[in-house]
């Protein structure tokens, strides 16, 4: 079982306690088998796990596992009774603070062009939407490429889909529903629509949306679960420094203290 370290500062302690008690970090629900298996899928080049990044082409299993560990994930677990994987809460907290520090200039008047997107709308949409509103209120340009254009992307089964924006956050839309996706295609299409990397100052995203942005060389703040090794691998290789390893599949309400911390607001 993970042992909580001694934290300093009331806010630091409160958020650290929340991460552990909610299981956003600490001993998480993801299994060791799933975490390690996804590292294997990544280095084998499975498109659901590469997230549009090219690093898998010359990576091996050990490097993928080491990259997750370097980002704060513990794919081998931390001695939890259920044998699950784990996430270092202090590493998660440090990454949350990096997200806060990266957004602070934009929230304080340094106007930029920001593109927000999620492949996990059921869990992370509310978080990104709060960031989008705050960035818009601070007079940043929250980009909405392909908004209103039907059937501009395809799902893995070859069916046509669209990009829909909710509170300024891009999501994959098909059959009157928002879709969970790991693929980079929607972000690649949006980047093409804005003229490539020169048309965006910052991306805030997850899964293939984040991977495609990192691959294009765009500064990116991303969220990755302990079983999402592609983004940690890119970070270990110096392509990004904004990966927050945290459980990305829990109830959206559990993310509210994280959102508050990123926006530097009271918990």
């Amino acid at each position: 079982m993970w042992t909580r370290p001694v934290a300093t500062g009331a806010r630091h302690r409160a958020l650290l306690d929340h991460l552990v008690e909610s299981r956003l970090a600490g001993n998480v629900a993801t299994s060791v088998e799933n975490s390690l298996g996804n590292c294997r899928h990544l280095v084998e080049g499975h498109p659901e796990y590469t997230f549009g990044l090219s690093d898998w082409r010359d990576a091996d299993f050990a490097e993928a596992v080491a990259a997750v560990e370097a980002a704060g994930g513990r794919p081998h677990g931390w001695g939890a009774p259920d044998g699950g994987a784990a996430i270092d809460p202090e590493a998660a907290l440090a990454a949350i603070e990096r997200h806060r520090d990266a957004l602070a200039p934009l929230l304080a008047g340094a106007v930029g062009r920001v593109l927000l997107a999620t492949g996990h709308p059921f869990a992370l949409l509310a978080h990104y939407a709060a960031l989008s509103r705050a960035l818009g209120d601070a007079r940043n340009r929250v980009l909405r490429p392909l908004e209103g254009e039907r059937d501009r992307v395809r799902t893995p089964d070859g069916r046509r889909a669209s990009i829909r924006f909710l509170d300024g956050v891009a999501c994959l839309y098909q059959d009157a529903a928002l879709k969970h996706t790991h693929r980079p295609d929607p972000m690649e299409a949006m980047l093409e629509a804005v003229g490539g990397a020169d048309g965006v100052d910052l991306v805030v995203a997850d899964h293939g949306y984040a991977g495609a942005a990192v691959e294009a060389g765009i500064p990116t703040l991303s969220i990755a679960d302990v079983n999402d090794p592609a983004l940690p691998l890119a970070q270990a290789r110096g392509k990004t420094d904004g990966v927050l390893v945290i459980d990305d599949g829990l109830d959206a309400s559990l993310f509210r203290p994280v959102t508050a911390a990123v926006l530097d607001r009271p918990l």
Side-chain angles (χ1 to χ4, degrees):
M1 180 70 72
W2 174 78
T3 301
R4 183 177 295 132
V6 176
T8 58
R11 185 168 185 173
H12 183 108
R13 287 195 302 272
L15 184 51
L16 192 67
D17 286 346
H18 174 73
L19 292 175
V20 175
E21 291 162 6
S22 65
R23 299 189 72 182
L24 285 167
N27 295 308
V28 296
T30 308
S31 71
V32 168
E33 292 76 14
N34 182 254
S35 295
L36 297 178
N38 285 5
C39 288
R40 295 188 183 91
H41 293 322
L42 168 63
V43 300
E44 291 167 357
H46 194 297
E48 290 293 324
Y49 301 93
T50 59
F51 290 6
L53 289 152
S54 59
D55 304 279
W56 67 272
R57 297 181 185 278
D58 60 351
D60 59 23
F61 174 74
E63 184 185 3
V65 172
V68 174
E69 292 175 340
R74 298 294 179 264
H76 289 289
W78 227 331
D82 61 3
I87 296 170
D88 184 343
E90 289 282 10
L93 189 55
I96 290 168
E97 291 171 350
R98 286 197 300 274
H99 281 211
R100 179 201 64 200
D101 292 346
L103 290 176
L106 295 174
L107 296 173
V111 177
R113 300 160 299 172
V114 187
L115 179 53
L116 302 98
T118 183
H120 246 307
F122 68 90
L124 297 177
L125 178 57
H127 171 69
Y128 294 121
L131 303 188
S132 173
R133 290 192 297 271
L135 289 163
D137 289 346
R139 309 181 77 85
N140 293 281
R141 184 181 174 194
V142 178
L143 302 175
R144 297 171 178 259
L146 304 183
E147 185 172 37
E149 298 188 31
R150 295 172 59 93
D151 302 333
R152 285 293 301 270
V153 295
R154 291 182 181 270
T155 53
D157 59 5
R159 300 169 62 208
R160 292 187 178 276
S162 303
I163 301 293
R164 291 288 178 94
F165 286 84
L166 287 87
D167 261 350
V169 184
C171 303
L172 186 67
Y173 178 83
Q174 184 185 64
D175 298 332
L178 302 180
K179 298 293 186 178
H180 174 208
T181 181
H182 287 189
R183 295 299 185 105
D185 311 58
M187 178 59 80
E188 291 169 349
M190 288 191 289
L191 292 180
E192 181 180 2
V194 299
D198 290 339
V200 188
D201 297 311
L202 178 69
V203 166
V204 185
D206 51 67
H207 291 90
Y209 290 103
V214 171
E215 187 71 8
I218 300 169
T220 301
L221 301 178
S222 63
I223 290 172
D225 210 326
V226 67
N227 61 352
D228 292 333
L231 290 164
L233 179 60
Q235 180 160 274
R237 291 184 167 200
K239 295 171 72 170
T240 182
D241 62 359
V243 180
L244 163 58
V245 177
I246 197 167
D247 193 310
D248 64 4
L250 301 182
D251 188 274
S253 64
L254 296 176
F255 227 79
R256 289 173 187 160
V258 175
T259 308
V262 171
L263 292 174
D264 202 18
R265 295 174 177 172
L267 300 180

